[in-house]
Amino acid sequence: MRFSILGETLARHDDGTVVPLGGPARRALLALLLASPGEVVSADRLAEEIAPGGAVSAHALQAQVSRLRATLGTAAIERAGAGYRAAVEPDDVDACRFERLAREGRTALGEGDAARAVALLHEALGLWRGEPLADAAGSPSAQAAAARLQEGRLGAIEDRIEGELRLGRSRTALPGLRELVGRHPLRERLAGLLMRALCAEGGQAEALVVFEGTRRHLAEELGADPSAELAALHREMLSVDPAPSPVAPPAPLTSFVGREGEVDEIAGLLRVARLVTLTGPGGVGKTRLSVEVAAVAAAAAEVCFVELAPVRDGADLPGVVLGALGLRESGLQPGGGGQTPTARLVTALSDRVLLLVLDNCEQVVDEAAALAARLLAACPRLRILATSREPLAVIGESLRQVRPLDDAAAARLFSERAEAVRRGAAADPDSVRRVCAALDHLPLAIELVAARLRTLDLRELAGRLDDRLGMATARSHRTADERHRTLRSVVAWSWELLSASERRAAERFTVFAAGATAAAARQVCGCDGETLESLIDKSLLEFTGGRLRMLETVRAYGAERLEAAGEADAVRDAHARLVIDLARTADPHLRRDEQLEWLDGLAAEHGNLLAAARWAARSAAWETLLELLASAATWLWIRGLPASVAPQAAALLDALGELPSAGLGEEYAACVLLAAAGPDGPTVWRRHRARAERALAAAWPGDRAGRHPALLLPWMMRSATEDDPRRAFVLVSSQADCPDPWVRALARYVSGFAALGEGDTAGAGRAFGAAVDGFRSVGDRWGRALALDALAALAGATGDRAAAVALTDEALALTEQLGALEDSADLLVNRGDHVAGDDARAAGAAYARAAALARRAGSSTYLAAALRGLGDMARLAGDPAEAERLYSEALDRTDPHWVRSAGNRVRTLAGLGRVAEARGDRATAEARYREAADAATAVLGDADRGSLRMLGLPAAVVDAVSAR
């Protein structure tokens, strides 16, 4: 018989059937005996604990025991002296079995056998059904035993999670860990496990939030500091770089045939040459060869694979490379001092060991060559592998011509692909050789033709190709242009074998520059799923990563056919409408809790957005372009990509001249903001700001909501840099009663700055706090991160450093989730500034991590801020030479024209002044202090001495500014 006390008291026969135990007194009696099986419990104690105060007599107790023995068997409960005992094996009681399994699991964990530990602990924890000894809850001894069991259960859970983390299962452990830490905020081991799990999933900033929350609970409730182990883990978190992974080479769907020696040769060449270009005609296998080489190189360096086939405008190239690296073109704060994408790339790659694969450069060869030359000159640890139909012609370029396969490799490739579609399809070696020769041994041509053996006999196929291509002999002497004509003929031949519906679908699919989901393809191509599957079977489409894609050579031919059919504009318009509908559907979700999932889905559509915008601009479809850009604006701002559509937005503004047709004022304002993110941004902004502001005010009068809420945030931020930003601030703050809760939160955020301007720090704190609560209530991370940053700055300025750190860490967790590395770097610098006076080591770690993130993000401005912080640490540590070096580098990198850089520039100049003063160079010190005072005056105007001291400026600077 088996017994259970981890929940209500149960007894089961060996076959699992439950034994009826009777009423509460009998269950309590059995539970008390089973809590210590084999041990004698006195009758007096049993009677008192079942019913305190003598309610159960010795006779009544004996009667209850007799009834239990009748039910369970006389051997189950024995009389022993003046008491009773449960005469059962400990392992027959679930509580005892739990404790044994938990001990064995912990031992296995200590011995390094995580898999066995997790299995044992899962078995142990699976025994629990509820509160232990629930039927004896009023008994003091049962309460003590239950407390011991609950503590053991929690320890077993911790051990099991520890084992799961060692097995790499951090993602599955996270939900339960978060709940446990919420229920047990003082349990440091749980906090440490959650921090480790978060860090394993790239959530370093959230891990810092967990630490800060635990530290605060320990201090408030126990008056204690975190343990040495948790503090050490915290320092480790501060040093981790959570940079996003660059795009890896595409995973091949088929085996690699015939070029194994070339892979080793090219990989070896890349070890001595920094730019290697694979040249050859279309379809010869350059892309596939580069993928295999990149896979070899990945053992020694990061690899980023950039597909350039969809790129038609060379000006887009730096942005495309940034995107492939997982980087943004700008931070979360629109309107801020942006670098050009090329400058950002230089900063991001300046000290990174990376192989950059630029695939299909021929369409933008001049721009690809210029970018490669710039990056190689500025980034000494970078290597580039390019594929192109022509050389890049850059100094130092090593060329490797990719030739067609040899006879044997071509035949093997054809046979493998043929066997994949129909067993025995390539059984005739002579016919296989004839076909491969007719195809010039080009891998892509072989792939396309082999797919036809699903429906054609091999000899029939060879005959058709002889007729079509005009020869069936080896053609190794032919030129690249002639081989390209062969490939084109093969694509055309494949096209002609399609049914009318298949041809129509394939031609229409060519408008998808970044591939498509099956649903999107069906909508734009006007076809069913069966047609798409048929095109996949015939190798004209491929399905990978949940999306349909078309090889560029095939896509180029299909696009020509689409133009010839006179359908191009109609299909491209349908494609643009699809992107508009997708963006409109996504827009409200981007300001809610589900924004991360929607952002991930939209990331795959960015190439389609750019293609639709380029077509609309080229075709002067201005109203479509206006709708497209406005509907995608939220997506572009949160992902830091507004500059990617700036050329089309600027072209639209030039074409419109004045405001668009009635009802599109918001769309016009969105276009102005997007165009202002481009290289001519300041000029565009000055020219169109006033008209756009009037249109925006009309769309958001204060008593009703407009259609594009997210537009208000970048508008306010862009306007904040103006001499008179009050109109923009009033426009946003007047939405305090808007029915949209996100807009109300934004209005409170802006009101906080208005209160600050009036010197009302308490009012500002209330407004920023309400903004944080408002953004949190709808689940938006974008607005919440900005509001938390403002609230943290206010807390730091008013001397509440602990609150400033906690708020900063919470904001860090959000920017990390949004992939906003430069904003994370900015927050880490702030964190360092908050703790620098109390914990130099923590401050230095924050500045160092900020510098690493800023480099990864390519943000020169925030790298300058981090270097300034490191300079402060070096100066305080008594190393003036290192401090001066860091300050000087920070000054060189600081953008003197961006308001967000101004405070850091002041502090850097002041730091240089302090270094000079420390070495006795009073003249240089005073000159630096004057520069700092000039910079502070430019930013703060008539600021009071207290505001100046908040910047951490020396008295000499404060006095100089105040004297003015």
Side-chain angles (χ1 to χ4, degrees):
M1 191 171 287
R2 292 294 182 99
F3 300 91
S4 299
I5 58 173
L6 297 178
E8 64 174 320
T9 308
L10 292 176
R12 288 187 175 91
H13 293 295
D14 288 343
D15 62 3
T17 56
V18 176
V19 178
L21 295 175
R26 225 168 296 163
R27 291 177 180 277
L29 171 61
L30 181 58
L32 290 169
L33 292 171
L34 292 172
S36 303
E39 293 185 13
V40 177
V41 184
S42 71
D44 290 344
R45 181 179 145 200
L46 285 172
E48 178 66 21
E49 297 214 17
I50 291 173
V56 175
S57 65
H59 178 74
L61 177 66
Q62 185 177 3
Q64 295 290 1
V65 171
S66 296
R67 292 189 182 100
L68 272 178
R69 295 181 72 187
T71 300
L72 301 175
T74 55
I77 299 177
E78 295 179 344
R79 177 83 188 200
Y84 300 91
R85 69 178 178 186
V88 300
E89 292 297 324
D91 229 36
D92 289 337
V93 181
D94 61 355
C96 299
R97 196 157 65 254
F98 160 74
E99 291 182 309
R100 175 181 62 78
L101 290 167
R103 284 194 303 272
E104 291 176 2
R106 177 165 292 186
T107 299
L109 193 64
E111 293 172 350
D113 191 347
R116 181 168 179 269
V118 168
L120 287 166
L121 292 161
H122 266 299
E123 184 181 352
L125 293 165
L127 296 171
W128 283 72
R129 297 173 294 104
E131 292 295 318
L133 296 154
D135 289 306
S139 158
S141 62
Q143 290 170 358
R148 187 193 77 246
L149 288 167
Q150 289 282 26
E151 178 64 22
R153 182 189 190 193
L154 198 51
I157 291 172
E158 291 172 334
D159 288 339
R160 188 203 69 206
I161 294 171
E162 173 82 38
E164 288 175 341
L165 295 187
R166 293 187 191 181
L167 294 172
R169 302 172 187 168
S170 51
R171 182 166 299 177
T172 57
L174 272 173
L177 259 174
R178 285 193 173 99
E179 182 185 354
L180 284 166
V181 169
R183 292 207 314 261
H184 305 279
L186 299 176
R187 201 164 179 100
E188 291 188 74
R189 188 183 180 198
L190 280 176
L193 289 169
L194 178 55
M195 291 168 66
R196 285 169 52 196
L198 287 166
C199 196
E201 293 301 313
Q204 288 86 351
E206 190 176 348
L208 294 176
V209 175
V210 172
F211 174 82
E212 183 58 32
T214 304
R215 184 204 62 76
R216 191 167 61 251
H217 280 297
L218 289 168
E220 292 173 355
E221 299 189 29
L222 302 179
D225 292 327
S227 65
E229 293 81 6
L230 195 64
L233 181 60
H234 176 241
R235 289 193 295 272
E236 182 183 337
M237 299 291 110
L238 286 171
S239 67
V240 174
D241 174 11
S245 300
V247 173
L253 300 177
T254 54
S255 59
F256 184 61
V257 175
R259 300 195 192 275
E260 293 80 1
E262 293 177 68
V263 171
D264 293 337
E265 179 187 339
I266 295 165
L269 184 57
L270 275 168
R271 285 191 282 271
V272 295
R274 295 185 59 215
L275 171 61
V276 175
T277 303
L278 308 181
T279 62
V284 79
K286 301 185 296 296
T287 296
R288 183 59 190 274
L289 183 56
S290 72
V291 169
E292 299 296 330
V293 172
V296 172
E302 286 184 279
V303 174
C304 179
F305 196 94
V306 189
E307 297 184 58
L308 301 182
V311 180
R312 294 293 182 270
D313 186 344
D316 296 337
L317 182 57
V320 170
V321 178
L322 274 176
L325 284 163
L327 302 179
R328 304 159 61 95
E329 294 178 359
S330 62
L332 291 176
Q333 308 208 33
Q339 300 164 266
T340 66
T342 300
R344 190 174 284 269
L345 279 173
V346 168
T347 303
L349 300 177
S350 59
D351 64 348
R352 202 161 166 182
V353 179
L354 181 115
L355 173 64
L356 186 65
V357 183
L358 302 177
D359 187 39
N360 287 307
C361 293
E362 57 271 1
Q363 299 178 107
V364 286
V365 67
D366 292 338
E367 293 83 358
L371 181 64
R374 172 78 186 277
L375 293 179
L376 289 169
C379 310
R381 306 173 79 184
L382 175 71
R383 296 180 188 278
I384 296 177
L385 175 63
T387 75
S388 178
R389 292 181 188 172
E390 59 181 292
L392 300 189
V394 173
I395 294 175
E397 179 181 32
S398 293
L399 295 176
R400 177 67 167 77
Q401 186 174 5
V402 181
R403 300 184 181 279
L405 297 171
D406 60 32
D407 291 349
R412 183 154 60 96
L413 176 64
F414 184 90
S415 298
E416 281 194 16
R417 302 302 187 258
E419 288 292 324
V421 299
R422 183 159 59 90
R423 181 166 294 183
D428 181 355
D430 289 338
S431 294
V432 169
R433 283 192 292 271
R434 284 177 59 207
V435 169
C436 291
L439 299 176
D440 282 337
H441 296 159
L442 291 170
L444 177 56
I446 290 171
E447 300 256 6
L448 290 171
V449 170
R452 287 296 176 176
L453 287 174
R454 186 183 298 273
T455 56
L456 292 175
D457 178 81
L458 177 57
R459 292 187 180 181
E460 179 188 1
L461 182 67
R464 289 193 182 195
L465 286 174
D466 282 349
D467 292 341
R468 179 63 186 245
L469 302 179
M471 60 189 308
T473 58
R475 303 175 176 199
S476 60
H477 63 283
R478 285 160 60 86
T479 66
D481 285 344
E482 289 170 322
R483 293 195 193 100
H484 184 68
R485 284 196 292 272
T486 296
L487 179 60
R488 182 178 176 82
S489 296
V490 170
V491 175
W493 174 77
S494 298
W495 217 266
E496 289 168 10
L497 293 178
L498 299 174
S499 67
S501 60
E502 289 170 341
R503 278 198 299 271
R504 185 166 56 251
E507 289 164 5
R508 292 176 176 178
F509 189 87
T510 62
V511 302
F512 288 102
T517 63
R522 289 195 300 270
Q523 181 176 333
V524 172
C525 300
C527 67
D528 56 22
E530 187 177 340
T531 301
L532 296 174
E533 288 177 10
S534 179
L535 291 173
I536 294 170
D537 288 342
K538 292 164 183 173
S539 293
L540 294 172
L541 289 180
E542 59 181 20
F543 186 74
T544 178
R547 294 177 71 81
L548 292 162
R549 299 185 184 277
M550 183 176 275
L551 290 174
E552 188 58 26
T553 302
V554 176
R555 183 168 170 255
Y557 179 83
E560 291 178 12
R561 294 292 301 263
L562 185 67
E563 291 284 351
E567 283 196 322
D569 281 340
V571 177
R572 291 190 180 281
D573 181 68
H575 174 253
R577 300 310 312 179
L578 175 83
V579 178
I580 290 170
D581 290 344
L582 173 64
R584 284 178 174 167
T585 301
D587 186 77
H589 298 284
L590 296 178
R591 296 185 302 281
R592 298 177 188 161
D593 190 55
E594 62 270 26
Q595 68 185 165
L596 296 181
E597 292 83 355
W598 280 84
L599 285 169
D600 286 344
L602 290 170
E605 303 294 344
H606 188 239
N608 286 322
L609 168 65
L610 296 182
R614 283 193 293 264
W615 167 79
R618 216 170 39 243
S619 305
W622 302 121
E623 197 155 309
T624 297
L625 181 57
L626 197 58
E627 292 181 70
L628 178 67
L629 296 179
S631 63
T634 306
W635 154 19
L636 293 168
W637 283 317
I638 296 179
R639 272 298 183 219
L641 296 171
S644 65
V645 296
Q648 289 76 39
L652 173 61
L653 294 174
D654 288 342
L656 291 176
E658 297 296 326
L659 286 173
S661 56
L664 293 175
E666 279 185 271
E667 287 78 1
Y668 174 78
C671 239
V672 170
L673 279 169
L674 292 170
D680 298 324
T683 302
V684 172
W685 180 248
R686 285 193 300 270
R687 186 184 305 160
H688 297 279
R689 179 197 173 197
R691 280 197 299 271
E693 190 165 57
R694 288 194 296 271
L696 199 57
W700 290 83
D703 57 352
R704 57 181 172 81
R707 294 186 309 281
H708 296 282
L711 177 60
L712 297 171
L713 178 54
W715 185 269
M716 183 272 295
M717 289 184 166
R718 171 69 70 173
S719 300
T721 62
E722 298 295 307
D723 292 337
D724 184 10
R726 283 175 296 178
R727 284 195 305 275
F729 276 61
V730 169
L731 169 64
V732 180
S733 61
S734 66
Q735 309 300 320
D737 297 320
C738 179
D740 186 323
W742 187 89
V743 176
R744 291 199 302 273
L746 178 60
R748 303 229 178 349
Y749 174 58
V750 174
S751 298
F753 290 107
L756 269 185
E758 296 169 359
D760 181 6
T761 55
R766 288 192 297 272
F768 290 143
V772 170
D773 292 340
F775 287 126
R776 182 184 285 115
S777 70
V778 296
D780 174 44
R781 297 159 183 81
W782 181 29
R784 183 155 43 122
L786 298 175
L788 283 165
D789 185 24
L791 197 57
L794 185 62
T798 54
D800 190 348
R801 293 182 179 177
V805 169
L807 292 164
T808 299
D809 285 347
E810 189 178 348
L812 262 170
L814 300 171
T815 57
E816 187 175 85
Q817 291 172 27
L818 291 167
L821 288 188
E822 68 179 280
D823 297 275
S824 295
D826 183 28
L827 289 165
L828 280 164
V829 171
N830 295 345
R831 189 184 204 286
D833 291 344
H834 293 319
V835 302
D838 302 320
D839 189 341
R841 178 181 292 182
Y847 293 137
R849 183 164 169 250
L853 284 185
R855 288 185 192 278
R856 284 284 176 127
S859 174
S860 191
T861 293
Y862 291 127
L863 176 56
L867 292 171
R868 185 274 305 161
L870 291 170
D872 289 345
M873 295 298 98
R875 179 175 55 79
L876 293 173
D879 190 347
E882 177 65 3
E884 186 168 33
R885 184 190 70 78
L886 289 164
Y887 285 141
S888 298
E889 185 180 350
L891 198 61
D892 289 342
R893 294 179 177 276
T894 300
D895 180 355
H897 306 295
W898 188 26
V899 67
R900 295 277 300 179
S901 302
N904 188 63
R905 178 177 169 80
V906 172
R907 295 178 73 158
T908 303
L909 289 164
L912 284 167
R914 282 170 161 155
V915 170
E917 188 172 12
R919 67 168 178 256
D921 187 349
R922 188 63 192 171
T924 299
E926 290 180 355
R928 289 301 192 185
Y929 289 151
R930 282 195 299 273
E931 287 183 77
D934 290 342
T937 303
V939 178
L940 299 172
D942 298 328
D944 58 30
R945 297 174 71 90
S947 299
L948 294 169
R949 289 196 188 97
M950 287 179 193
L951 288 175
L953 303 182
V957 178
V958 176
D959 292 343
V961 177
S962 300
R964 301 178 185 190

